[in-house]
Amino acid sequence: MTSTIAGDHSGGFTSRPVNRRNALAATFGGGLALSSLARSAGAGAGAASGVRILHSPEQLGSSYDDIIVGAGSSGCVMAHRLALAGRRVLLIEAGGEAKLAAVRDPQEWPKLQGTELDWRYLTTPQPGLGGRIIRCPRGKVVGGSSTINALAYQRGHPAAYDRWPMGWRAADLLPYFKRAETFSGGGSAWRGGSGPLHVLSLADVTDRNPMASAFVKASQDLGYPMSSDIGGEVTTGVGWNQLSIKDGARHDAATAYLGSLESVTVDLLVDTDVLGLAIEGGRCIGVRLAERIVRAASEVLLCAGAIDSPRLLMLSGIGPADQLRSFGIPVAVDLPDVGRHLEDHPLVAGVAYAARREVPRSHYNHADAVLYVPRSDPNDSPEHLVMCLSLPFVLPSVGPLPPPAYVLVSCLMRPRSRGSVKLASGDPRAPALIDPNYLSEPADMDLLVEGVSLAREIGAGAAFADWRAREVYPGPEAKTADDIRKFILRATDSFHHPVGTCRIGAVVDESLRVKGVAGLRVIDASLFPGIPQAMTNAAAIAVAEKASDLVLAG
């Protein structure tokens, strides 16, 4: 099994094991196919009449208030909220409907990456990883990456958001996290009970994987406390995973937000590339398709994600002037930070064990339990995430891992390295140059050594004795920090959480308007001014929920 998992803080650290006393103190302190949900233009109404699927620009309506570019997580939220408020909404998606059976089944998510539902982007060669090229899956489908990811839905530690600008901090976003969700444990001060998106905590099920139970016990044996709700008040420690699942099926943004529209109408134009934004007199008046411009009476909302939102801005003359001129693109607004400050979570795949017997298959996403570990400060967000995967999951660059096997995957939650997204050419259909610049900051390597050491310590625990035959990777010969560093160079991959390329304060203002251009906002993970210390889908949805209020306020 070789599928990867799915999607500005500096500091000098020397390589050393996690200080467990400090870490413990900190821990204690701290889709269904859319065809079943919508109707095509000219066809009879389906189960929900609120979405009209268009397959050609010739089917477009006469006018729209708002045009949303990208039907991923943020775009689906925006379409839902604006349509409910009575706006005439056009939602444009380069991909089509999610028709693969594997989309529905949470266990089958590894089969989705690399399919026609994925843009199948690649990074540039990464010097920090010995020149390796890393895959960068992004959803090319209605629902976006929420339709092909590993379903994890966690908001993360509030301290991460408290490093964002005023108005976007943890207390500001909490009402929107709650508004978005229906939590399996019910509504509370921390959780929503009646939102469009269903979130299942594996604390609320009885068929968790026994391998995950061993992981929880091993973590507790090291002194890490159990969080009853890893996405609620206590977001550090060991806990059961939380996933976007309803009635046993993936509940992606398209199913949750578009599928719940009934009496209002969103026009959803599928399989259509937006080639650029139409800018006239300092205002974005609409979007450029292959043969026409489609105008927006109010605003264009760019929800294409951390890779393609900056790409479309730059193709439209909004970005670093020198780069734009080099491709013959007329400069509309010189915004040097467009495409800069790319952040992503690196992970190490992984600390692998041969099992004594067959490992039961997960009923969910193969990572039923997780451990979040702060480094020292009890009020700060975690540096490390360790996940227990009941699959033989390692990179080909690491080596073979025949079943039965299981893997502990360590992830760096606060990377110091920053990368970029740049144009490869002036061709509007050419993919961007994606350079995450992994491990360019030495602190990231030191922290990954800590994370791998922590995963090995958990894996060597007595709780795994009935499962563990032997450690395969990095293997018993890896005894020193230098040995682990060599392993990390082969085993590091992306967690597929790109953010930050159109940051609040640098590219957009605090109302998410693009600086220097009227009628244009960016609403997706590209605007994050810092990466959340968790999987990023929940944050993207909460930000879009808040953004919808800003757009409706004018």
Side-chain angles (χ1 to χ4, degrees):
M1 163 78 196
T2 58
S3 296
T4 48
I5 294 180
D8 56 5
H9 313 293
S10 60
F13 294 101
T14 56
S15 177
R16 62 181 186 276
V18 172
N19 183 318
R20 194 186 305 146
R21 176 177 296 178
N22 289 343
L24 288 175
T27 302
F28 278 105
L32 299 171
L34 194 65
S35 57
S36 68
L37 303 171
R39 58 188 172 91
S40 295
S49 59
V51 178
R52 189 173 70 122
I53 297 180
L54 313 179
H55 297 277
S56 166
E58 300 303 317
Q59 298 172 294
L60 289 172
S62 59
S63 63
Y64 297 97
D65 296 313
D66 302 287
I67 297 176
I68 302 170
V69 179
S73 296
S74 301
C76 289
V77 173
M78 296 303 299
H80 176 99
R81 296 299 179 189
L82 298 184
L84 287 180
R87 303 283 274 264
R88 298 166 300 168
V89 176
L90 172 62
L91 178 60
I92 305 177
E93 169 56 41
E97 302 167 66
K99 296 179 180 178
L100 294 181
V103 168
R104 179 182 176 87
D105 188 350
Q107 302 175 52
E108 299 298 327
W109 70 262
K111 296 181 179 180
L112 298 171
Q113 296 176 8
T115 68
E116 66 268 24
L117 308 185
D118 179 6
W119 281 102
R120 291 175 279 189
Y121 290 149
L122 299 172
T123 71
T124 59
Q126 295 296 288
L129 301 179
R132 285 194 292 123
I133 293 172
I134 304 299
R135 292 187 302 125
C136 184
R138 297 284 89 197
K140 186 182 182 182
V141 60
V142 178
S145 295
S146 76
T147 301
I148 68 169
N149 69 6
L151 298 95
Y153 195 87
Q154 296 160 27
R155 65 189 60 166
H157 198 285
Y161 302 104
D162 286 342
R163 292 187 281 269
W164 289 18
M166 294 293 292
W168 290 95
R169 296 185 176 173
D172 305 306
L173 289 171
L174 179 59
Y176 296 101
F177 279 113
K178 293 175 64 177
R179 187 169 89 174
E181 71 177 8
T182 293
F183 182 54
S184 61
S188 69
W190 296 94
R191 305 306 303 243
S194 58
L197 184 70
H198 283 247
V199 179
L200 174 65
S201 171
L202 299 192
D204 297 326
V205 303
T206 58
D207 56 350
R208 298 183 294 264
N209 194 291
M211 179 66 65
S213 298
F215 175 81
V216 168
K217 181 63 165 63
S219 299
Q220 290 177 310
D221 288 347
L222 290 176
Y224 295 106
M226 185 77 180
S227 172
S228 61
D229 177 6
I230 202 70
E233 182 177 9
V234 179
T235 58
T236 54
V238 64
W240 300 113
N241 210 344
Q242 299 185 359
L243 310 168
S244 49
I245 292 176
K246 180 183 180 183
D247 298 331
R250 178 190 293 269
H251 206 225
D252 61 12
T255 309
Y257 281 92
L258 300 185
S260 60
L261 289 173
E262 295 180 356
S263 59
V264 296
T265 298
V266 169
D267 276 2
L268 170 58
L269 178 60
V270 297
D271 299 314
T272 301
D273 290 325
V274 172
L275 304 182
L277 309 171
I279 311 294
E280 289 184 4
R283 182 176 185 84
C284 182
I285 62 166
V287 299
R288 296 183 184 277
L289 306 184
E291 296 179 356
R292 63 184 293 185
I293 292 175
V294 184
R295 292 176 176 264
S298 181
E299 291 187 284
V300 172
L301 309 175
L302 189 52
C303 302
I307 306 303
D308 284 315
S309 282
R311 183 181 66 86
L312 284 170
L313 287 177
M314 289 185 283
L315 286 169
S316 307
I318 304 167
D322 54 349
Q323 183 184 160
L324 303 183
R325 292 190 182 104
S326 71
F327 294 120
I329 298 172
V331 177
V333 182
D334 181 11
L335 278 181
D337 278 326
V338 172
R340 295 179 59 194
H341 305 283
L342 174 64
E343 294 185 66
D344 188 19
H345 292 137
L347 59 76
V348 179
V351 177
Y353 296 89
R356 290 181 178 273
R357 60 186 187 278
E358 191 69 24
V359 177
R361 183 176 175 85
S362 169
H363 296 291
Y364 301 100
N365 77 333
H366 310 293
D368 291 7
V370 296
L371 171 67
Y372 285 98
V373 181
R375 202 160 194 270
S376 57
D377 185 344
N379 297 313
D380 211 348
S381 51
E383 291 281 4
H384 301 289
L385 165 65
V386 182
M387 302 182 293
C388 178
L389 269 67
S390 50
L391 289 175
F393 166 73
V394 294
L395 295 182
S397 52
V398 171
L401 183 64
Y406 58 95
V407 181
L408 302 186
V409 175
S410 60
C411 317
L412 179 57
M413 291 286 98
R414 293 183 63 186
R416 277 65 175 172
S417 300
R418 299 290 180 270
S420 64
V421 172
K422 297 180 179 180
L423 293 179
S425 72
D427 179 357
R429 299 186 189 274
L433 298 176
I434 306 168
D435 179 13
N437 209 17
Y438 294 121
L439 307 192
S440 57
E441 291 291 333
D444 286 353
M445 173 62 87
D446 296 338
L447 288 163
L448 285 176
V449 170
E450 288 185 4
V452 169
S453 300
L454 173 60
R456 296 180 87 186
E457 190 174 14
I458 294 168
F464 278 107
D466 289 341
W467 293 100
R468 182 182 58 245
R470 62 186 177 89
E471 181 185 290
V472 180
Y473 301 112
E477 65 278 5
K479 300 181 184 299
T480 68
D482 282 344
D483 294 334
I484 296 174
R485 287 188 183 94
K486 293 176 183 177
F487 170 69
I488 287 169
L489 288 177
R490 294 185 290 131
T492 294
D493 197 9
S494 169
F495 209 170
H496 311 316
H497 298 154
V499 307
T501 49
C502 299
R503 295 180 307 154
I504 297 175
V507 176
V508 299
D509 65 18
E510 291 178 9
S511 294
L512 311 185
R513 297 183 177 94
V514 174
K515 293 185 173 183
V517 183
L520 176 63
R521 304 193 206 216
V522 176
I523 303 168
D524 55 36
S526 71
L527 64 80
F528 293 4
I531 196 165
Q533 271 70 83
M535 300 74 171
T536 52
N537 188 241
I541 286 176
V543 163
E545 286 277 10
K546 179 175 168 65
S548 69
D549 281 356
L550 294 174
V551 171
L552 290 171

